[in-house]
Amino acid sequence: MAANIIATRIADFLKKYPPFTSLSKEELYHISSEAVVCHFESGDYVFRQGEAGSGNLFVVKEGVIHLERQEEDALVLVDICDEGDLFGVRAMLSGKPYVFHARSAEESLVYALPVALFKPLIESHSQIAMFFAAGLAGGQAGLLDTHTTKRFPYQDSGSLLNWNRPLEKTHGELVWMAPDKTIKEVATVMTDKKIGSMVLCYANGELAGIVTDTDFREKVSTGKASIDAPVSDIMSTDVVTMPLGQPLSNYLLKMLRHKIRHICITTDGKPIGMLSERDLMAAHQNHPVTLVYAMEEASTLKKLTDLRNQADDLIRFYLEQQVSISLTASLATHINDALIRRVIDIALQEVQKKSGAPPVEFTWISLGSEGRSEQLIRTDQDNAIIYDDVNGSTEDKEKVKQYFLQLGGKVNDMLAEAGFEYCPADMMAGNPQWCQPLSEWKQYFSGWIRQPQEKALMLSTIFFDYRRVYGSESLLVQLKDHLKKEIRDESIFLNFLAKNALKNPPPLSFFKNLVVERSGEHRHEFDIKARAMMPLVDIARVLSLDIGQLDEMNTVARYHLLAREEPKRKELYHAAADSYEYLMRIRALNGFTHHDSGRFISIENLGKLDRQILRNTFEPIYQLQQMLELRYQLSYFN
Amino acid sequence: MGLLSKIFGKTPSEDLPPFARSYLEACRNIDQKVPVEKVRFVVFDTETTSLEVKEARLLSISAVSCTHNQIEVSSALDCYVAWGDEVRPENIAIHGITKRQSDTGLQPEEVIEVFLDYIKDAVLVAHHIDFDISMVNNVLNKYYPGLKIKNLLLDTAQLAIRLEQPRMSSTATNPKDYTLDALMGRYGIDPLERHTALGDAYSTAELLIRLLPKLRKRGLKRLGDLKNS
């Protein structure tokens, strides 16, 4: 039989519009052949706010669909979708109810595409993942729209996206009965076992049929069948069966197509279990809280590493699902912190066996991006130990130092094994230089501030973004107070730091093209970290130190606090925060795709739209850089 | 004449195959009170060697299944009849069906089984349905004497005429205004692939889901109302 020409035509239509542009002809045809063509009169609802997700994504073929959010007293138009626009994405990815109405503003034709087909594509196509991550489908919050004050917070995720995984087993054992049992007998067992359906098998194990609650309701309570009649009178014989081992998405698709919630799983024609829609969803459940608890319980490094690998899937899912990046980053931080704490516990137990309890109080701090709670993917470790000052002989002091060095080294090794690579510049707690008593740390900080040479500035940018992960809070408070005082006394330091913040290479050429690297391993790739993210991080740090804000190190939080402090630049700061969130997302997704830090982005693989958005994120950078020039009079400063 | 007509045949003999018996059983229990939103429509089209029912031979039959406002692409049915003997050359110009394609089709008995299993008790819809039904009935009668299509039937040409010119008798309208091409133009339906049975069936389905809401505005609520609209 020839290919279904209806599907071919739909594929022809879809391929003109992102994100379908990045799919192959076969993939497009596959999606299109499962499409449902829906017609809506003006005023009809495609879906309503609060309704459960329909299992479909929608593309406008003809007409106009308005996305509207019902607020307490008003209906707010969120987005207008016309030909080729995609909507219904949020509910598709989150499995949550729709967050707005989709209403036909004129007679419209809409293609409904099953989510189950889409999920595997999100995994295999970074373009598609990016499309959703960047919020490009209709009704996804405009990331770069500074007027969008409302965010749609998604507090937790429903399921993990791994729909390509094959089904390995069914949940629980199959409960079955013979078809010659009476309706009453079967109903009694179903009630006892609290099950909604019963599989009926012949003595040889072959499938005879199935009865469900609905059959009892429609055929027994209506009096059509007597409760003493054999159950075979009311069973349905066309049972939907599938073998084990298919990708999970296939089962979901089958359920969607047959509008059923259960599939009988068979081996060699014999039923071995039932798979329900709920099992399918549960197979993806992976709650962050459970993960953190499991980490706190984990007794071996191996177990911790496995859990951390699971967390990567979760974080990636959050990113793709358009969960707010702040939430995702805080989740990742939470998980990393739980792991680091557990690793320190384990290491401390080992050290204690040999050398006893810690001689003085200490604090384990994370630095750099981990310190700013911005690590979405595992990068190099940057950490240090601050311990309380020791009164006593040089020998005593040395003994204490050795104790913490031993601890630091062990933790560094274990973290490396768990996938956090060693810092190439050796900024780690196991390095004697970064395992110091409080007084020494105060001297470091003062030294960098009073003599801001290049090296000192570089160290400031890493060490001033510190955060306690384990141990004493009071040591940290003392260090913070010291830092605040030093900067107040030596405010010229901020001019140096501001100058340093403007050192990064520009992201756009004179002709507003993205500047790609000209040589080396990453030739023709865009360095998103150096050219776009670092400027935003560095500027936020300077401005925050300037107003004495040392409680929040996170870049997005820093900009939001700056906006509160300086309301007349509110819009710029909020835009900077949004840009930074977007860049974090892009970098993390790129990193997940290429199993690296995600720092270098291949521009050729970015769609036109993504390039456009990337360019837009630079606008606040330019404005901030100009502001810094003026405020710190950097043109007079050399 | 109503838009739907039920064609009554002789009482089916008991020696009909099971698929035919269960088809007839399904059609016997059609509930006229079912709301239109719950009704399953099967929109179909046939390709034949001639436009004269008496001499025409069925070449292929294609269908899509839909509800009042949705067409399921995956439901598309497209089957060719393998007659086993010569195919008249004159149809090739219109339909582009070659002998080879026809050879790879299903045996007529198989086509009947597939089609009846597919349509079940759905409302059958086609553009100028009388012709297509006659073609199908001819084949049914040839292989299973006495077996006829029992579904409720809906003709999109008649439907359009009733909607656009409610007061005029169908004889007073210009048939040229109600060809599938003309209606597609008028209702803004993109031509898919004309003169293939599946292409026409789909276009007719698109026409149907555009016409039905207009009918609902005139009070169409239940399946039975279709007869009187």
Side-chain angles (χ1 to χ4, degrees), chain A residues 62, chain B residues 127 164 176-192 194 203 206-207 210:
Chain A
E62 289 161 26
Chain B
H127 205 69
E164 293 182 3
K176 277 188 184 157
D177 293 339
Y178 291 94
T179 61
L180 186 54
D181 280 327
L183 285 167
M184 284 168 64
R186 208 143 67 236
Y187 287 90
I189 299 168
D190 292 339
L192 196 64
R194 287 306 318 274
S203 298
E206 267 209 32
L207 180 60
R210 283 164 208 247

Side-chain angles (χ1 to χ4, degrees), chain A residues 1 9 35 37 39 41 61, chain B residues 69 71 73 78 190 192 217:
Chain A
M1 195 192 288
R9 279 308 170 88
V37 183
H39 176 265
E41 288 284 285
K61 166 64 168 48
Chain B
N69 68 350
I71 309 168
V73 177
D78 204 10
D190 292 339
L192 196 64
K217 282 186 191 143

Side-chain angles (χ1 to χ4, degrees), chain A residues 126-391:
Chain A
S126 57
Q127 281 282 294
I128 302 235
M130 296 274 257
F131 181 87
F132 295 126
L136 293 173
Q140 283 186 283
L143 265 169
L144 299 172
D145 180 2
T146 48
H147 304 289
T148 313
T149 46
K150 288 227 164 164
R151 289 283 180 268
F152 304 95
Y154 266 95
Q155 291 309 327
D156 62 357
S157 101
S159 52
L160 260 182
L161 278 183
N162 189 7
W163 292 89
N164 284 326
R165 195 152 55 90
L167 180 72
E168 282 158 6
K169 57 180 169 58
T170 54
H171 181 73
E173 252 178 59
L174 177 71
V175 181
W176 62 274
M177 291 177 80
D180 54 3
K181 296 277 184 207
T182 66
I183 291 173
K184 190 177 166 185
E185 283 174 298
V186 174
T188 311
V189 175
M190 282 173 65
T191 310
D192 286 350
K193 302 223 178 234
K194 297 195 174 85
I195 49 178
S197 64
M198 175 70 78
V199 175
L200 304 159
C201 295
Y202 298 115
N204 64 3
E206 263 170 40
L207 184 65
I210 193 169
V211 277
T212 63
D213 285 342
T214 320
D215 295 318
F216 288 98
R217 197 166 57 241
E218 288 178 357
K219 296 169 190 162
V220 183
S221 19
T222 54
K224 278 185 192 165
S226 147
I227 57 167
D228 295 318
V231 70
S232 55
D233 282 8
I234 61 161
M235 72 184 183
S236 45
T237 49
D238 51 347
V239 184
V240 178
T241 64
M242 279 177 83
L244 280 178
Q246 304 258 329
L248 293 176
S249 57
N250 282 11
Y251 299 95
L252 185 61
L253 193 62
K254 190 110 177 174
M255 288 180 188
L256 287 170
R257 199 184 297 156
H258 291 266
K259 298 183 177 67
I260 50 173
R261 292 180 186 282
H262 295 85
I263 288 178
C264 182
I265 305 298
T266 55
T267 313
D268 302 328
K270 291 179 183 170
I272 54 160
M274 292 298 286
L275 180 75
S276 71
E277 199 180 60
R278 267 190 38 198
D279 295 338
L280 216 44
M281 291 306 171
H284 297 291
Q285 284 291 343
N286 202 340
H287 212 274
V289 179
T290 333
L291 214 57
V292 169
Y293 282 161
M295 280 186 169
E296 287 171 359
E297 304 274 296
S299 52
T300 63
L301 185 60
K302 168 84 175 58
K303 178 87 186 140
L304 274 172
T305 309
D306 287 348
L307 288 167
R308 185 58 187 82
N309 290 338
Q310 270 184 47
D312 267 353
D313 292 341
L314 187 67
I315 292 163
R316 181 181 181 162
F317 175 67
Y318 270 50
L319 286 172
E320 288 165 343
Q321 205 188 230
Q322 266 286 280
V323 174
S324 99
I325 199 82
S326 315
L327 186 78
T328 310
S330 92
L331 166 81
T333 303
H334 214 71
I335 288 170
N336 286 345
D337 286 359
L339 182 137
I340 296 169
R341 269 187 222 117
R342 192 71 197 114
V343 164
I344 295 174
D345 274 337
I346 296 173
L348 205 53
Q349 278 169 17
E350 287 180 29
V351 175
Q352 273 178 355
K353 267 185 221 154
K354 265 200 312 207
S355 321
V360 289
E361 280 204 320
F362 75 97
T363 297
W364 181 281
I365 53 174
S366 284
L367 307 165
S369 65
E370 184 76 51
R372 293 190 302 271
S373 312
E374 288 167 8
Q375 270 203 1
L376 290 169
I377 43 186
R378 280 171 281 186
T379 55
D380 309 338
Q381 32 174 320
D382 291 308
N383 45 49
I385 288 178
I386 308 168
Y387 56 89
D388 210 353
D389 287 305
V390 185
N391 298 316

Side-chain angles (χ1 to χ4, degrees), chain A residues 1-7 9-10 32-41 61-62 107 109 111 257 259, chain B residues 64 69-74 76 78-80 188 190-193 196 198-199 202 206 209-210 213-214 217:
Chain A
M1 195 192 288
N4 178 341
I5 55 151
I6 308 169
R9 279 308 170 88
I10 293 174
S32 304
S33 61
E34 298 294 340
V36 174
V37 183
C38 310
H39 176 265
F40 298 96
E41 288 284 285
K61 166 64 168 48
E62 289 161 26
E107 189 177 359
L109 211 59
Y111 293 143
R257 199 184 297 156
K259 298 183 177 67
Chain B
V64 284
N69 68 350
Q70 297 191 341
I71 309 168
E72 279 178 42
V73 177
S74 62
D78 204 10
C79 49
Y80 292 93
D190 292 339
L192 196 64
E193 196 174 271
T196 66
L198 185 57
Y202 176 76
E206 267 209 32
I209 61 175
R210 283 164 208 247
K214 295 173 178 48
K217 282 186 191 143

Side-chain angles (χ1 to χ4, degrees), chain A residues 12 61 113 195 224 253 324-325 346 372 378 403-404 447 477 576 599 601-602 610 612:
Chain A
D12 287 347
K61 166 64 168 48
L113 310 171
I195 49 178
K224 278 185 192 165
L253 193 62
S324 99
I325 199 82
I346 296 173
R372 293 190 302 271
R378 280 171 281 186
Y403 183 95
F404 287 113
V477 173
R599 171 173 181 171
I601 298 220
S602 162
D610 288 327
Q612 190 60 47

Side-chain angles (χ1 to χ4, degrees), chain B residues 81-140:
Chain B
V81 190
W83 287 107
D85 54 7
E86 93 292 347
V87 173
R88 297 189 185 187
E90 63 264 33
N91 72 80
I92 292 170
I94 312 171
H95 296 306
I97 294 180
T98 63
K99 178 110 167 52
R100 202 194 56 76
Q101 268 178 303
S102 184
D103 279 348
T104 59
L106 302 171
Q107 294 304 310
E109 296 94 323
E110 291 175 302
V111 172
I112 291 170
E113 180 168 356
V114 168
F115 188 63
L116 294 187
D117 270 354
Y118 181 83
I119 62 175
K120 298 196 171 71
D121 62 347
V123 173
L124 287 187
V125 186
H127 205 69
H128 299 306
I129 195 164
D130 290 350
F131 175 78
D132 298 283
I133 288 294
S134 303
M135 286 308 301
V136 174
N137 277 336
N138 279 354
V139 179
L140 290 182

